[in-house]
Amino acid sequence: MAALRQCPQIIPKRQSSSRDLPEYREFIFFHKRFLGSSGVFRSFSRSDLVAKAGIGSRIRAESVVKSAGAGLGLELDVVVEREVKSADAGPGWGVDVAVERKVKSADAGPGLELDVVVEREMKEKGVLGVRRTKLVCTIGPASCSFDALEKLALRGMNVARLNMSHNTRDWHRDVIRKVKRLNEERGYCISLMIDTEGRHMHTADLGGESSMKAEDGSVWLFTTERLNGTLPSTVQVNYEGFAEGVLVGDVLVLDAGMASFEVIEKVGDDLSCKCIDPGLILPRAKMTFWRNGQPVANNSHLPTLSPKDWGDIDFGISEHIDFIAVSFVKNAEDIRSLKSYLSRRSSEFIRVLAKIENLESMWKLEEIVHVSDGVMVGRGDLGMEVSVEHIPSIQEEITCLCRQLNKPVIVASQLVESMVEYPIPTRAEVADVSEVVRQYADAMMLSEESAIGLFAEKALSVLHVVSEHMERLCRCERIQKTLSPSLLGQSLSDRIAEQICNSAAEMANNLQVDAIFVYTTSGLMASLLSRNRPNSMIFAFTNKSSTRNWLNLLWGVVPLRVELSDYMEENIKKAFKLTKERGVVKEGDMVLVVSDIECGRATNPSQQSIQTYKSCKEKKASAIPDCMLYALLEDPPA
């Protein structure tokens, strides 16, 4: 990085001039590799460049041909295909979209897999107009059909969440099949998440009843006895030791306040309680006990993952899901043990998300975030264990810590809960969603709104439009949360990667570049860029489906699957060609390029370099450059 600072001529300046025509594209290319202590700056002539890199053609729209003629396969967008006609075939072209895609896939080689909704948005609104905050939808009876899932996909669903507390594994398997079918046949990029039930106290299924009404002053018996059907004023509890440590006078709260009861008598292992806050008792309602304004931790000795949870995890492995969200995490060991289990059982790399929704997880928050692959802020359950006035500050604290430690964070629960029954949100809910976006959370999640709500699509649309508006407002007002990134890397190579991404994000903002391209196999550098929340959209090119699905959760990242070469020059040319054909970038755009892929096949891994490319205008009469000039920072030849 010191060498880069000493060579300011390699950093482009967008100065207005007679030659600043829309045909020009400028970009900078950072390549993440080990920088030897003897690294020096070298310059190359135009002939050297052509000989070394094979880059001699002009980057102009006229030189771009369709994938059928160029030999670079490109899977067409099945939604945009209805709106945009092929430049080669003319307006009368009417080939079936699915057939056309299969022909290209077979004849033209690997193409560019880009989510059809993101592509449509970029064509309609431009790169800067695309939503950065990702959207997670819980799938339930209201959204489990193929058509309902596609409607959610069209409105921006990035991740489909399956709550293993409800429904059977066969039901969940059917939903997974439908989501994968949408991805394969319709061109979407929707990742899959399962959410474990976790060890917690809750009521039973009420013998088939949808709910029971608790009136003020009525007396109820909470029992572990298995009931056949329902009994008047009696509720079955799933956990046999639920009354341990509970005292007469304690308050039992159901589902974060749906109904509350005062304990008036202990009857063996059961509790007799008087309703003090009337409301509905729902099936599988979560139970917490309070004493003097503080929660009573009477089930802290239970393991985080139950036998049922381990069975659900095995199910997720067999179905090749992308994320496992662990409920009621207590410490870092809960996450470590699951990761170890996954490494032994799964060939796919499944990411583990820690749900922060109880006091134990807040006490050990930083160590949990460190070992997890991401975090979900479960505000509903968390609100049952801490006073409501603390929830906003806790949410902001967790969001900030996750950014510091480069972990994606999902804010969940009650975002637009009124839309379970009503077609529009309350104004307070809109303000809540706006604040989540202002805090730069990676994603927001719908729960009941999309699982059982009457207006699932409208609820998702509210998150979509509010996110876009707030992101645009923050950019216009230059509201950027200052972040002093923690130094996470242990090795020199990892520390270099961090500094490159921090500097690249700052450079992108200062130069107002149109997009950032990152070539990655692991997704690390894409996540490091996302952590900085640059104004520019981040396009992450990867050849791994698991990496693409992981990046689908990260703020501001558009993951694209494409076959990558060992030679970065080929990757750059291919990416620019395919993205231009798809309308992702256009002539005149400035693109900053970052990579963690080696340039060429290095015979000696220790001889690595950081390279910086820049296309620039030649100082000659012709306004159109016919080559790409670049400066190379590398170890001197032996």
Side-chain angles (χ1 to χ4, degrees):
M1 297 304 297
L4 291 178
R5 289 193 294 270
Q6 295 168 7
C7 303
Q9 65 268 33
I10 67 174
I11 301 179
K13 293 182 170 57
R14 300 193 74 175
Q15 298 176 342
S16 176
S17 70
S18 60
R19 294 195 301 271
D20 196 8
L21 301 177
E23 288 83 15
Y24 288 98
R25 173 186 293 114
E26 299 178 83
F27 68 88
I28 306 162
F29 169 53
F30 280 117
H31 180 254
K32 179 260 168 188
R33 304 173 74 183
F34 182 83
L35 177 60
S37 58
S38 57
V40 297
F41 179 84
R42 300 182 62 198
S43 298
F44 290 89
S45 67
R46 177 171 178 272
S47 58
D48 290 334
L49 290 171
V50 174
K52 292 178 75 69
I55 303 174
S57 59
R58 299 177 180 180
I59 303 180
R60 300 182 60 190
E62 294 84 354
S63 67
V64 177
V65 295
K66 305 303 286 184
S67 59
L72 292 171
L74 183 65
E75 293 193 359
L76 294 186
D77 170 4
V78 295
V79 175
V80 178
E81 181 65 28
R82 300 168 190 152
E83 305 170 4
V84 183
K85 297 296 182 178
S86 167
D88 289 351
W93 194 48
V95 179
D96 179 81
V97 180
V99 173
E100 196 274 345
R101 187 195 294 114
K102 290 178 181 178
V103 171
K104 286 186 179 292
S105 177
D107 295 344
L112 183 69
E113 295 182 14
L114 169 64
D115 182 81
V116 296
V117 176
V118 173
E119 182 172 0
R120 181 191 63 196
E121 290 181 0
M122 285 189 291
K123 290 185 177 181
E124 293 175 353
K125 305 171 186 177
V127 173
L128 290 178
V130 178
R131 167 180 49 85
R132 269 70 164 168
T133 308
K134 302 304 179 69
L135 304 178
V136 183
C137 294
T138 302
I139 307 303
S143 53
C144 63
S145 70
F146 186 83
D147 290 341
L149 287 168
E150 182 161 29
K151 288 176 181 178
L152 292 176
L154 283 168
R155 282 159 178 77
M157 175 174 65
N158 301 108
V159 181
R161 169 185 176 252
L162 299 172
N163 188 348
M164 304 306 292
S165 299
H166 305 283
N167 301 305
T168 65
R169 289 174 188 162
D170 287 339
W171 185 93
H172 290 298
R173 182 180 291 108
D174 181 62
V175 173
I176 292 172
R177 297 286 191 274
K178 291 171 182 175
V179 172
K180 290 184 176 181
R181 181 181 161 199
L182 282 172
N183 289 341
E184 294 168 1
E185 297 182 5
R186 306 295 176 90
Y188 300 104
C189 180
I190 304 170
S191 303
L192 287 161
M193 175 194 300
I194 65 169
D195 197 323
T196 64
E197 181 177 354
R199 287 278 196 169
H200 62 276
M201 294 183 296
H202 60 75
T203 62
D205 289 328
L206 305 183
E209 296 288 337
S210 60
S211 66
M212 294 191 295
K213 176 69 173 177
E215 300 288 352
D216 188 20
S218 60
V219 177
W220 291 73
L221 179 67
F222 289 83
T223 177
T224 57
E225 181 182 349
R226 186 175 298 276
L227 303 177
N228 294 321
T230 59
L231 294 176
S233 301
T234 304
V235 178
Q236 181 183 335
V237 181
N238 73 317
Y239 170 43
E240 290 188 0
F242 82 101
E244 294 179 6
V246 176
L247 304 177
V248 173
D250 289 349
V251 176
L252 168 60
V253 179
L254 299 183
D255 273 348
M258 287 292 290
S260 300
F261 303 81
E262 180 184 352
V263 178
I264 59 176
E265 184 182 2
K266 296 186 72 172
V267 185
D269 293 332
D270 302 336
L271 296 176
S272 178
C273 304
K274 182 178 68 173
C275 180
I276 55 176
D277 285 325
L280 291 178
I281 302 176
L282 301 176
R284 305 182 69 81
K286 294 175 182 176
M287 304 168 56
T288 54
F289 288 94
W290 289 73
R291 182 184 304 151
N292 300 324
Q294 299 294 327
V296 178
N298 60 335
N299 66 337
S300 58
H301 62 282
L302 293 175
T304 296
L305 293 170
S306 67
K308 177 185 180 300
D309 292 330
W310 287 110
D312 291 336
I313 289 168
D314 285 336
F315 166 78
I317 293 172
S318 66
E319 294 297 322
H320 306 288
I321 53 93
D322 304 299
F323 303 97
I324 295 176
V326 183
S327 297
F328 302 101
V329 173
K330 298 174 183 175
N331 51 54
E333 187 55 36
D334 293 337
I335 303 299
R336 291 194 193 97
S337 62
L338 176 55
K339 282 190 168 185
S340 176
Y341 182 80
L342 291 174
S343 67
R344 297 193 304 268
R345 296 295 301 273
S346 175
S347 58
E348 297 289 332
F349 191 69
I350 299 175
R351 308 282 176 157
V352 177
L353 308 181
K355 294 181 67 177
I356 307 300
E357 51 189 348
N358 53 21
L359 281 177
E360 289 95 333
S361 61
M362 285 301 302
W363 293 333
K364 301 178 180 179
L365 178 62
E366 188 164 348
E367 68 176 55
I368 291 173
V369 175
H370 262 294
V371 300
S372 65
D373 296 313
V375 164
M376 182 187 296
V377 187
R379 303 187 302 179
D381 289 313
L382 191 58
M384 298 171 64
E385 300 206 7
V386 300
S387 301
V388 292
E389 66 269 20
H390 296 301
I391 296 298
S393 58
I394 288 175
Q395 173 184 307
E396 187 167 14
E397 176 189 352
I398 296 173
T399 302
C400 182
L401 178 62
C402 288
R403 283 191 62 193
Q404 289 279 357
L405 299 181
N406 193 32
K407 303 299 173 81
V409 56
I410 306 169
V411 175
S413 303
Q414 303 171 340
L415 286 167
V416 286
E417 192 173 32
S418 67
M419 295 189 72
V420 172
E421 299 181 14
Y422 300 101
I424 59 173
T426 66
R427 305 308 180 259
E429 288 171 337
V430 173
D432 180 34
V433 172
S434 299
E435 181 59 23
V436 173
V437 178
R438 276 183 180 272
Q439 292 175 6
Y440 289 96
D442 287 88
M444 295 182 287
M445 190 182 87
L446 294 178
S447 298
E448 291 89 350
E449 301 96 330
S450 58
I452 60 173
L454 300 176
F455 306 98
E457 301 162 42
K458 289 185 177 181
L460 186 59
S461 295
V462 168
L463 299 193
H464 190 126
V465 297
V466 173
S467 297
E468 285 188 343
H469 174 76
M470 288 307 304
E471 289 166 1
R472 183 167 59 251
L473 181 64
C474 290
R475 288 195 297 272
C476 291
E477 295 181 354
R478 303 189 68 82
I479 299 174
Q480 178 63 273
K481 297 278 186 182
T482 57
L483 177 73
S484 301
S486 302
L487 297 178
L488 305 176
Q490 299 298 317
S491 66
L492 177 59
S493 178
D494 287 343
R495 294 200 300 272
I496 288 174
E498 282 186 60
Q499 294 303 319
I500 287 174
C501 290
N502 295 344
S503 300
E506 182 179 2
M507 183 183 295
N509 289 339
N510 292 340
L511 297 178
Q512 300 180 29
V513 303
D514 298 286
I516 301 174
F517 282 11
V518 54
Y519 301 82
T520 180
T521 54
S522 67
L524 172 62
M525 294 196 76
S527 69
L528 290 170
L529 287 166
S530 173
R531 173 174 74 153
N532 286 276
R533 303 299 194 255
N535 292 331
S536 307
M537 183 63 77
I538 303 165
F539 294 88
F541 298 85
T542 182
N543 57 354
K544 293 186 176 180
S545 296
S546 59
T547 300
R548 184 192 184 199
N549 292 338
W550 156 240
L551 296 176
N552 205 29
L553 185 62
L554 272 58
W555 187 96
V557 176
V558 176
L560 306 97
R561 186 174 178 276
V562 64
E563 292 302 319
L564 296 176
S565 166
D566 289 335
Y567 296 95
M568 274 310 304
E569 290 84 358
E570 295 180 9
N571 291 330
I572 292 173
K573 289 192 292 184
K574 182 176 184 179
F576 272 97
K577 177 179 179 57
L578 295 178
T579 53
K580 283 179 64 177
E581 291 174 356
R582 299 285 283 265
V584 175
V585 295
K586 59 185 183 299
E587 295 296 340
D589 285 349
M590 180 185 286
V591 178
L592 185 148
V593 183
V594 184
S595 178
D596 60 13
I597 298 174
E598 296 182 0
C599 285
R601 296 179 175 85
T603 56
N604 184 354
S606 65
Q607 300 297 315
Q608 299 180 349
S609 64
I610 295 175
Q611 301 178 355
T612 303
Y613 291 71
K614 170 194 171 185
S615 81
C616 58
K617 307 175 182 63
E618 292 185 283
K619 296 182 179 179
K620 59 181 183 181
S622 173
I624 305 299
D626 59 2
C627 72
M628 295 165 59
L629 305 180
Y630 67 102
L632 176 63
L633 189 67
E634 66 170 12
D635 292 330

